[in-house]
Amino acid sequence: MGDDQEHCNQEMLNRYVDRETSPEQMQRIELHLQRCPGCRQYVKLHGELAQRLQREVSASKQRVDFDELEQRIVSAARRRSDRWGHLREVLFSWKLVLPVAATAALALFFFTSLFQSPPPPGPSAIINSFTGRVSSVMILETPQSHHTVIWYSEEATEGNGADSKKL
Amino acid sequence: MSDPLDESQLVNRLRDGEEAAFVMLVRRFQARLYGLAYAMTLDREESRDIVQEVFLKAYRNINTFKGESKLSTWLHRITVNQCLNWKRRWFQRRRWYQRPLAEESEDPSAVTLSDGNTPETRLREEQLQQHYMEALQALPDKARAVYVLKELEGMSYDEIAVTLRLNRGTVSSRLHYARKRLQSALRDYQHGD
Ligand SMILES: [Zn+2]
């Protein structure tokens, strides 16, 4: 670059272009630029390219309907928030937790008894269950053990009570 | 909707899950983030999707924003990261910058930098722009991110360092690298002064 090769320092030139030099460095570079066409060309090129990039982006922005984009983003946030809120509600509601716990207890019971050696004679399990409006009861019996599982049904609450101002 | 909130008020209201605050956030930053995404991807549709995803992420993770940097810095960081993730998929699809000629002629800002407006000058301008955009796209992600934050956003080295969590020296060397690559890609288009 230029006719004064030993003094051409592009990294320093960049800092000059970006106004990241000290006043003394700036003076030195300006002096160098007066006699180095290569470095002048470099500074000019990158000034022009920056302008080109800004023009390209601003032209692209002009073609975007930002009101429409805003609506799209807000709707997406609402949808995602509803989905998460609903999922959280379901995951942590007693309506799900109690039956899941009961099923898990049952599964555990059957699997442990299945792998126990050897299978006992006579009936392996007697299951009685009662389902009422408020609760359900399940009784499991084996010759060795007796289990009673109880779970409560909650009435479905009307509406999710979500504040329409919250996402 | 008026937008009188300062940054910390806005953040607090976002943490409370207020939709109005979210709308303000979008309104305040969407154009700027779109510009950044577009400079990174050169794809209008992808940039819109990226901006949407950035706001959803910001909203979801607002509690991780500690206020150590400005909200805009944080959003810029998310946008750059989102662009880099996007780029991987986009690169696999081999989509390259193509500026439709019809669109070019409708573009009111397509003013040439060179003097004169002869067909030759205009063609040369368009070719230069096309080559520049291609060279920009061909830059490695990290160098392009620094370059765009500098040349588009006019950030200082320190601001870029905070945004991309780099040190100043790395910012300076990546910028130097990006400019050298661009200069060499556009060598044929340079004329002496
Ligand atoms: Zn020089």
Side-chain angles (χ1 to χ4, degrees), chain A residues 10 14 18 20 40-41 46 49 52 54 56 59-61 66 68 70 72 78 80 167, chain B residues 19 27 30-31 34 38 48-49 52 60 97 99 125 128-129 132 151 157 175 179-180 191:
Chain A
Q10 269 192 350
N14 279 320
D18 299 328
E20 300 270 353
R40 276 206 302 277
Q41 177 63 38
H46 288 296
L49 293 184
R52 282 182 179 276
Q54 288 159 16
E56 178 75 30
S60 173
K61 276 186 192 175
F66 284 107
E68 188 263 321
E70 175 190 309
R72 191 177 113 176
R78 268 188 209 134
R80 208 169 278 195
L167 279 174
Chain B
E19 184 174 313
R27 209 163 280 181
Q30 64 171 346
Y34 169 84
Y38 181 77
R48 285 156 49 97
D49 291 347
Q52 173 174 324
R60 207 163 51 236
Y97 175 81
R99 190 177 194 163
E125 266 309 314
L128 173 53
Q129 187 69 10
Y132 172 42
E151 303 294 39
Y157 289 9
L175 191 54
R179 284 184 175 146
K180 260 176 73 172
H191 26 236

Side-chain angles (χ1 to χ4, degrees), chain A residues 1 8 32 36 39:
Chain A
M1 155 179 54
C8 296
H32 174 79
C36 183
C39 286

Side-chain angles (χ1 to χ4, degrees), chain A residues 1-10 13 29 32-33 35-40 42:
Chain A
M1 155 179 54
D3 52 356
D4 199 3
Q5 207 78 36
E6 68 275 20
H7 292 109
C8 296
N9 179 343
Q10 269 192 350
L13 214 50
I29 295 165
H32 174 79
L33 283 173
R35 52 201 163 78
C36 183
C39 286
R40 276 206 302 277
Y42 183 86

Side-chain angles (χ1 to χ4, degrees), chain B:
Chain B
M1 191 190 307
S2 62
D3 189 358
L5 294 182
D6 70 28
E7 196 171 291
S8 67
Q9 289 173 316
L10 181 62
V11 171
N12 285 338
R13 287 173 62 175
L14 285 168
R15 285 186 179 136
D16 288 344
E18 257 188 59
E19 184 174 313
F22 183 68
V23 173
M24 263 180 221
L25 181 82
V26 173
R27 209 163 280 181
R28 203 180 277 189
F29 291 103
Q30 64 171 346
R32 204 168 155 196
L33 298 184
Y34 169 84
L36 175 59
Y38 181 77
M40 290 289 293
T41 62
L42 298 176
D43 186 308
R44 222 182 309 162
E45 277 314 304
E46 304 249 341
S47 300
R48 285 156 49 97
D49 291 347
I50 286 169
V51 169
Q52 173 174 324
E53 205 48 44
V54 167
F55 282 112
L56 297 182
K57 272 199 167 159
Y59 186 71
R60 207 163 51 236
N61 298 314
I62 190 69
N63 286 321
T64 67
F65 174 69
K66 303 288 179 223
E68 287 153 352
S69 58
K70 286 195 289 183
L71 189 58
S72 62
T73 305
W74 187 63
L75 292 171
H76 275 69
R77 184 183 305 140
I78 302 175
T79 307
V80 170
N81 288 336
Q82 199 66 23
C83 289
L84 300 186
N85 289 337
W86 223 272
K87 170 79 191 323
R88 270 166 221 132
R89 276 185 269 165
W90 163 84
F91 195 74
Q92 283 159 4
R93 294 208 307 268
R94 292 169 182 276
R95 284 178 60 173
W96 291 92
Y97 175 81
Q98 275 296 329
R99 190 177 194 163
L101 284 174
E103 192 175 280
E104 172 85 18
S105 57
E106 287 163 10
D107 180 359
S109 69
V111 185
T112 61
L113 281 176
S114 309
D115 297 328
N117 202 15
T118 62
E120 292 78 22
T121 320
R122 191 167 167 75
L123 181 66
R124 195 183 157 78
E125 266 309 314
E126 284 173 11
Q127 284 176 339
L128 173 53
Q129 187 69 10
Q130 177 85 22
H131 271 79
Y132 172 42
M133 292 297 118
E134 281 170 6
L136 184 62
Q137 253 182 355
L139 285 178
D141 289 341
K142 290 171 176 176
R144 195 174 58 256
V146 172
Y147 180 82
V148 165
L149 290 177
K150 178 73 236 173
E151 303 294 39
L152 179 71
E153 294 286 320
M155 286 187 180
S156 69
Y157 289 9
D158 285 332
E159 287 169 327
I160 298 173
V162 171
T163 304
L164 300 181
R165 292 190 164 131
L166 302 170
N167 61 49
R168 248 182 86 90
T170 310
V171 171
S172 172
S173 62
R174 284 188 188 165
L175 191 54
H176 179 217
Y177 174 78
R179 284 184 175 146
K180 260 176 73 172
R181 283 268 306 248
L182 292 172
Q183 184 192 27
S184 112
L186 300 172
R187 199 172 292 282
D188 294 344
Y189 290 89
Q190 292 173 59
H191 26 236
D193 62 348

